[in-house]
Amino acid sequence: QVQLVESGGGSVQAGGSLRLSCAAIGAAEYTYMSRCVAWFRQSPGKEREGVAQIYTGDRSTLYADYVKGRFTIPRNNAKTTVYLEMNSLDPEDTAMYYCAARGGGTRCRVSMDETDFGYWGQGTQVTVSP
């Protein structure tokens, strides 16, 4: 069984920064395998939406338009841990942030669809105050 564990959430004032971590825990044949890892978020009254994703093989990334220039998935060589660096946070970024991963050996698609992801973390809360 593969588990994803998010951490790094918290409360920050507008304009501040946070770095979220997504650690994969389980069999090495999966946790070290190239795969698609994505960050989703959901706030009350809104649909869950894709924030950013990375394919850990070639480290290609995709970002939602509303986070471009503010959020970044570092393109390192790590496969067991994926980060989300969030800068210039706005109260509209307040949400529960989830890490998700596709099955091992699968690339990311050209869009972020939550139904493509079979592994999910428990979420980490990000609260941005005005």
Side-chain angles (χ1 to χ4, degrees):
Q1 182 68 39
V2 176
Q3 296 180 347
L4 302 179
V5 181
E6 304 98 331
S7 62
S11 298
V12 64
Q13 293 189 3
S17 300
L18 288 172
R19 185 172 77 160
L20 307 184
S21 299
C22 173
I25 303 173
E29 54 263 34
Y30 175 79
T31 59
Y32 289 93
M33 184 180 299
S34 298
R35 63 192 185 278
C36 179
V37 180
W39 289 96
F40 290 82
R41 71 184 186 185
Q42 186 170 31
S43 59
K46 297 182 179 180
E47 298 180 345
R48 184 157 57 184
E49 58 188 2
V51 177
Q53 67 181 9
I54 185 170
Y55 177 61
T56 62
D58 60 11
R59 291 167 286 173
S60 59
T61 55
L62 176 69
Y63 297 93
D65 288 340
Y66 53 85
V67 304
K68 288 182 178 178
R70 299 190 301 121
F71 293 6
T72 302
I73 298 179
R75 300 181 183 183
N76 54 43
N77 292 324
K79 291 183 173 63
T80 59
T81 304
V82 173
Y83 301 94
L84 180 66
E85 297 178 347
M86 304 185 294
N87 300 308
S88 301
L89 284 164
D90 186 272
E92 293 184 356
D93 296 316
T94 295
M96 183 72 73
Y97 284 72
Y98 298 91
C99 177
R102 299 194 69 188
T106 57
R107 286 181 167 270
C108 298
R109 297 175 64 85
V110 296
S111 62
M112 290 175 281
D113 186 341
E114 65 181 47
T115 63
D116 291 333
F117 296 84
Y119 298 102
W120 291 83
Q122 79 290 341
T124 184
Q125 179 68 40
V126 172
T127 301
V128 185
S129 60

